[in-house]
Amino acid sequence: MNNNNNNGEGEPSKKESSSFNLDSRFNQTLRNVQGLLKGRSFPGKVLLTRRSDPFDVSGSPDFSPNIERSYLENNLGPGELMGRSSEEEVQSSRNPIDDATANNSNLSVSQTEKTSRDVPKSMTGARATDSARVMKFSKELSGSTVILETLRELAWSGIPPYMRPTVWRLLLGYAPPNSDRREGVLARKRLEYLDCVSQFYDIPDTERSDDEISMLRQIAVDCPRTVPDVTFFQQMEVQKSLERILYTWAIRHPASGYVQGINDLVTPFLVVFLSEYLQGSMENWSVLDLTPEKISNIEADCYWCLSKLLDGMQDHYTFAQPGIQRLVFKLKELVRRIDEPVSRHMEEQGLEFLQFAFRWFNCLLIREIPFHLVTRLWDTYLAEGDALPEFLVYIFASFLLTWSDKLQKLEFQEMVMFLQHLPTQNWTHQELEMVLSRAYMWHTMFNSSPSHLAS
């Protein structure tokens, strides 16, 4: 066995690490996939193949990399892409430099074989189509008891918009998998939220403590700032709904209380649950078209789903937000291992990851990408379940390294400005799917090496 791999974890030596480049890692990973996953597909996951210059975007806001893209389990929804079989996907990934870089990989064949064995055979086979995946969702949701693991696999690559409210409630554990209990549980939880609003929100300030008054005022200031480039969120009624949800949540969660950024996290839930009642483009929606009972039900669903989401990352929003600081450190370490040149350049320029990545973790990228892509991104977030905080590190590394070449040409001040105003305004599903694909690939490469992010 090669001495460089004698740690048994597939990690290269320090000498090797310094010579690795992103192409060799990515290309060899695809070679391993080609040899071992013929006729197979990762359930619910996306793989993207590209030529030898994956991240060279030259700073262009119209980011359009030379990429052949496919879904191993095809994607869904209007404007999204069609799938191909995994064997077609793998064959398209070959390029002339693969053989020259084959020996530089830090992902052993045995590791990839283990990954491939973990893929359920039932998920393999013929080319998938949008209608076929809709049928899979429909079949899973129509049963007396939803198998959540199967639903997660399907949801990872995107959920049909009209099924999204139901699927999100199930993935978050707000709605029970048993269909016979679902309606009763939702009715009870919605009444409980209404009681909380009556008890904590619909009271005069004279009955609040000074801290509660201060918190309510901060929420009232932040609500109009929430997703300011989407006119729907500027409606007064929408802002009042946000205010009720956030204040009620903060009162019920005194360990953290309200933290700026949580207001952003309500917005995907609000849009998805409103979509059950309002048709057409979100820009044309008006909450005034809904009855008070429907508005209350929507707010309740947002409240409970936000609570479920944040239950898995409680220390992200407690004092000093230690959970986020820990993940920012892991992001820095992961970027160093994946793309040492850009990591070294950022360090030489004195750029700290906390200066840009803290907001990413705090708001889960909502402020960094066009809002019409957020719900698709959150399909993957919610499909990850309890593993989401760890997987965020890989998603954000992939997001950052989209601009690897650009970043290496910038000095400190330029880099700060660039990272705070990233050119994503013209992004489509294609760019988002590529970010998720790389994140999945790198997670596959590293997750069998327990010490890869050790401090």
Side-chain angles (χ1 to χ4, degrees), residues 69-83:
R69 63 200 185 277
S70 70
Y71 290 63
L72 295 183
E73 282 289 315
N74 66 306
N75 200 12
L76 287 171
E80 298 186 358
L81 308 173
M82 298 293 289

Side-chain angles (χ1 to χ4, degrees), residues 332-358:
K332 179 179 180 179
E333 181 66 9
L334 182 62
V335 169
R336 183 183 69 80
R337 291 175 179 269
I338 292 174
D339 194 335
E340 197 273 338
V342 77
S343 174
R344 184 175 63 250
H345 177 71
M346 293 169 73
E347 188 171 346
E348 289 171 350
Q349 291 296 318
L351 181 66
E352 293 293 335
F353 274 61
L354 277 171
Q355 292 175 279
F356 63 90
F358 188 90

Side-chain angles (χ1 to χ4, degrees), residues 38 58 262 433:
K38 286 184 178 180
S58 303
I262 296 180
E433 299 296 350

Side-chain angles (χ1 to χ4, degrees), residues 70-131:
S70 70
Y71 290 63
L72 295 183
E73 282 289 315
N74 66 306
N75 200 12
L76 287 171
E80 298 186 358
L81 308 173
M82 298 293 289
R84 295 187 299 173
S85 72
S86 59
E87 189 164 358
E88 289 175 323
E89 159 67 26
V90 170
Q91 292 297 336
S92 70
S93 72
R94 296 303 300 269
N95 66 56
I97 69 171
D98 279 345
D99 293 332
T101 61
N103 294 327
N104 288 334
S105 172
N106 70 332
L107 177 65
S108 68
V109 170
S110 62
Q111 288 172 313
T112 312
E113 285 177 334
K114 182 180 183 302
T115 301
S116 68
R117 285 197 299 270
D118 291 340
V119 178
K121 293 183 179 180
S122 63
M123 300 299 294
T124 67
R127 174 185 305 194
T129 64
D130 282 359
S131 59

